[in-house]
Each structure stands twice: as C-alpha cells, then as structure tokens.
Amino acid sequence: MKKRVLSVILCIAAVSSLSACKKGNTEPFECESAYKDTLVNLKEVIASSEEENLIDGMYGVYEAAKELGDAAADTIGYVYSDMDKDGKEELLIGNFEGTGSPDVKNEIYAAFSHDGDNLEPLYEKQKRNTFALTDTGTFYFHGSDGVKYHIVAEYEMTEEGIVCKDFYFTYPIDGDGNNMGYYHNTTGVWDSEGSEQIDMTFEQLEEIRKELAARTVPMDAAKLSEIGK
C-alpha cells in the first residue's frame, strides 16, 4: 500500500537496531542496504551544494544543512525505527540531540519508508514548521506565522502513512485579522469550514503546545558524517 506524504503548509505564505528488520514472514529486509543510496545521496548533495540531484522528500533536510553550514554532517542524524509496527523500519532524518528550543528535544526534517523495492517519502519539513518525535511514538507538530496563523497538532504513523490525531489552529473569522477563531479537527487540514470552532484563548492553545513539546525526546542517532565509514 502506498503511504501518504505529510506536508503541512500555512496557507499564507525508541530507536531500533541498525542491522535488519523483518518484512512480515518473508525474507529479511535489510535497513542499511535499503536506505544506503538515500543517505549517500544526501551526504553528497550537502557536500557539493548541488540541490538538483536531491532525492524527492529531502529538500527540508537540505535547507537545514545550509543553515548549519560546516556543522551539518555532525549535527544531522538518522534513525531506523518501525513507527507503524508493520515489521519494516522507517528512516527518520533530523536533529535528534536538541534543537536550541528548550522544550523541543528533536526535530525531524524528513521521513521515508521502503518496501524492499521502492523508497517512499512520508514527511518533508517546510519553513516555519516543527515536527518532532514524542515519548509515545507520536509526532508533535507546530506551524506558525504569528498569532493569526498558528497550528498545534499531534500525528501518528499508520500503515497509510502519517495521519492526524489532533489539529488545533487559529483562523480569522470572516477574514477579520482582529477577530481570531480557534478550531479543532482530526483531518489535519487548515480549514475553518471543515472544523469545529472551540472556546479557547491563545494562551490555552500555547499550553497545549508546551505540553506536547515537553513529551519530545532526544534519540540516539547515527550522524551523516559516519555514512560510508
């Protein structure tokens, strides 16, 4: 089954073994072998700054690497983890040792799955968005362009891809930027008409964000600089 790609954009602008993971009851699925070309490609592109050779789904990693400069290969890491519990491990790429934010302990720039033959992108970081793994294996999401456009959400990995559990957001009522509404849905769509308007303040929304962010965790990840060694 082809998984859906998660890419949330504002409308205005436990780590497993690195050895092998099982593909059901068939032949073993070797994670390092399956994702090797993906990681080698990323390391080469970062070193050369030739983004036209970048694999689909990697642009968010590339942008983060540009900001990190010479520290990119020793800051960005990768982890294999069976997030959807289907016996096949996904590849997560990001900063797993702390992001500079006191309440967010990791940040994922890209996520991929592999069926043994084909690589599938699951998530790609966008500007102004933060996506991080929590202590229960779900994902914290925060997207913001100020109070008028603010999203706090939680996602989980399933056999269909990364799907939404809770999606809270602000939206101008009747287009009036001075009259903000607060909304909730489980579709992950920034759309007031398809969501429930709730009685909430920005401070209460920020409390939800802080509680979810506090559940993010640092992870033991291999560094991009270690690829090929």
Side-chain angles (χ1 to χ4, degrees):
M1 177 185 296
K2 186 174 180 60
K3 298 181 179 180
R4 294 178 290 180
V5 182
L6 173 65
S7 181
V8 183
I9 308 174
L10 291 181
C11 295
I12 72 157
V15 182
S16 51
S17 167
L18 301 187
S19 56
C21 48
K22 299 294 183 179
K23 186 180 179 183
N25 294 319
T26 61
E27 298 180 0
F29 170 60
E30 298 289 342
C31 297
E32 289 182 308
S33 175
Y35 293 113
K36 178 180 178 181
D37 290 345
T38 304
L39 293 170
V40 169
N41 169 265
L42 178 60
K43 186 176 181 180
E44 290 176 348
V45 169
I46 289 175
S48 66
S49 300
E50 296 178 358
E51 64 178 272
E52 64 270 17
N53 297 321
L54 203 61
I55 290 174
D56 287 346
M58 285 287 196
Y59 192 73
V61 188
Y62 177 74
E63 285 196 324
K66 286 197 299 183
E67 292 183 5
L68 289 165
D70 293 341
D74 288 317
T75 302
I76 298 174
Y78 63 97
V79 168
Y80 303 127
S81 184
D82 186 4
M83 302 296 300
D84 57 2
K85 309 302 181 187
D86 68 348
K88 296 172 289 186
E89 296 186 358
E90 285 73 42
L91 170 66
L92 307 179
I93 301 172
N95 182 345
F96 297 98
E97 295 183 345
T99 64
S101 171
D103 52 356
V104 181
K105 308 302 189 299
N106 70 78
E107 184 173 6
I108 297 172
Y109 304 144
F112 297 89
S113 68
H114 204 294
D115 63 5
D117 295 312
N118 300 301
L119 181 76
E120 291 186 19
L122 300 175
Y123 169 77
E124 182 173 15
K125 177 177 171 56
Q126 303 290 327
K127 288 185 177 180
R128 303 189 183 95
N129 291 354
T130 300
F131 195 67
L133 190 66
T134 74
D135 54 1
T136 58
T138 62
F139 298 96
Y140 156 83
F141 177 85
H142 179 225
S144 177
D145 192 25
V147 175
K148 295 180 181 179
Y149 304 95
H150 209 78
I151 299 170
V152 178
E154 184 174 11
Y155 290 84
E156 63 184 340
M157 184 85 77
T158 72
E159 291 185 358
E160 277 129 23
I162 300 174
V163 299
C164 185
K165 291 183 65 178
D166 286 296
F167 193 86
Y168 297 91
F169 64 99
T170 61
Y171 202 96
I173 297 175
D174 297 327
D176 182 359
N178 295 314
N179 186 18
M180 300 306 301
Y182 293 82
Y183 298 85
H184 172 265
N185 64 50
T186 58
T187 63
V189 178
W190 192 64
D191 175 23
S192 61
E193 293 185 2
S195 306
E196 176 189 7
Q197 186 172 1
I198 54 179
D199 186 11
M200 176 182 283
T201 64
F202 184 79
E203 289 73 22
Q204 290 172 319
L205 178 60
E206 182 64 2
E207 281 302 310
I208 294 174
R209 187 201 68 76
K210 288 180 179 179
E211 289 176 8
L212 187 55
R215 289 172 41 204
T216 61
V217 290
M219 299 178 70
D220 184 16
K223 302 296 185 182
L224 293 187
S225 59
E226 299 172 11
I227 297 171
K229 293 184 178 179

